[in-house]
Amino acid sequence: DVKVTQSSRYLVKRTGEKVFLECVQDMDHENMFWYRQDPGLGLRLIYFSYDVKMKEKGDIPEGYSVSREKKERFSLILESASTNQTSMYLCASSWGAYSSYGYTFGSGTRLTVV
Amino acid sequence: DAKTTQPTSMDCAEGRAANLPCNHSTISGNEYVYWYRQIHSQGPQYIIHGLKNNETNEMASLIITEDRKSSTLILPHATLRDTAVYYCIVRVDGNDMRFGAGTRLTVKP
């Protein structure tokens, strides 16, 4: 069964800490995405990547950065965590840019910043 | 990508068909219609997608009107496990997927 795996299901971090959220996919997908989901706001796209070492800003990139050194791994980095970054973070992957196939999502990481 | 409009919530009796509507009146010719669902505390799950023709898979059927301005996702025999938020998205190939608020479907015994 194909998978997108997020390293942690629940995470608690302190304000100001540098936080790494890891995502790995085993489907050889070109594209990978990071979303956050908040009540009443739905899923919002933070960053995405169409290839190794490539990254594009989504709708809400402020306060975040990403790294994609290998095709299967896409990391989301909170440089200095703040309480307003408490959220559910969802990683997804998909086939190449001109494929009509949908996304496969991970189970999510619920991050609490205290 | 075109915007979509979905009802905020719907109820369905267990064992009956659940018909979830979606309006996408500004859809363009090269935009696909996608449906996802999200069960509580899980990531969204792909259900089905289509361009013009109706589509069916093991999970659901997708009916797209001839003018493509609206579509309906049909779960033929809803179960309690189908209780979820259902998202309708229109998207051009190559663009990223943008999720709206979706429809909260509650399947009742």
Side-chain angles (χ1 to χ4, degrees):
Chain A
D1 197 16
V2 294
K3 272 190 177 175
V4 175
T5 303
Q6 295 185 229
S7 54
S8 304
R9 190 83 173 98
Y10 298 94
L11 210 53
V12 179
K13 294 292 182 180
R14 295 195 180 276
T15 301
E17 275 193 80
K18 190 168 186 176
V19 181
F20 293 86
L21 302 183
E22 306 287 346
C23 176
V24 177
Q25 51 95 3
D26 64 1
M27 296 163 282
D28 202 33
H29 283 171
E30 284 87 357
N31 305 334
M32 296 188 75
F33 307 85
W34 275 106
Y35 291 84
R36 65 177 281 178
Q37 185 171 29
D38 302 287
L41 296 175
L43 278 85
R44 293 178 291 168
L45 183 64
I46 305 171
Y47 266 98
F48 56 103
S49 169
Y50 286 142
D51 203 350
V52 175
K53 296 194 186 294
M54 289 184 66
K55 60 184 179 184
E56 299 285 342
K57 292 180 180 179
D59 296 327
I60 51 163
E62 296 78 20
Y64 303 95
S65 62
V66 290
S67 172
R68 192 159 180 210
E69 296 296 319
K70 294 185 177 181
K71 189 176 186 179
E72 67 270 18
R73 187 180 295 269
F74 192 36
S75 303
L76 180 70
I77 304 156
L78 285 66
E79 297 291 342
S80 176
S82 64
T83 54
N84 63 13
Q85 293 178 309
T86 291
S87 187
M88 169 72 91
Y89 289 87
L90 290 156
C91 175
S93 70
S94 73
W95 292 111
Y98 296 99
S99 164
S100 67
Y101 287 95
Y103 292 8
T104 303
F105 279 84
S107 298
T109 295
R110 188 166 292 282
L111 172 68
T112 302
V113 182
V114 298
Chain B
D1 295 329
K3 291 186 71 173
T4 62
T5 304
Q6 298 178 253
T8 303
S9 63
M10 293 180 64
D11 292 341
C12 177
E14 189 178 19
R16 303 296 293 269
N19 297 289
L20 292 94
C22 180
N23 286 319
H24 31 80
S25 58
T26 60
I27 193 169
S28 59
N30 59 347
E31 286 184 307
Y32 285 79
V33 179
Y34 289 83
W35 283 85
Y36 285 77
R37 73 179 182 184
Q38 187 173 22
I39 295 169
H40 182 63
S41 295
Q42 297 182 23
Q45 176 191 23
Y46 165 81
I47 301 172
I48 199 167
H49 75 285
L51 184 62
K52 295 185 209 176
N53 301 322
N54 298 337
E55 302 286 345
T56 295
N57 63 20
E58 64 279 3
M59 290 181 69
S61 295
L62 173 60
I63 308 297
I64 302 174
T65 57
E66 195 168 339
D67 63 8
R68 302 208 327 121
K69 293 186 177 182
S70 66
S71 61
T72 301
L73 179 75
I74 301 172
L75 309 178
H77 305 285
T79 70
L80 299 179
R81 286 176 298 193
D82 292 321
T83 291
V85 177
Y86 288 77
Y87 299 97
C88 170
I89 301 161
V90 293
R91 168 189 176 244
V92 175
D93 278 354
N95 286 2
D96 44 87
M97 205 79 69
R98 302 301 172 104
F99 289 75
T103 296
R104 183 171 298 277
L105 174 69
T106 303
V107 180
K108 298 187 173 181

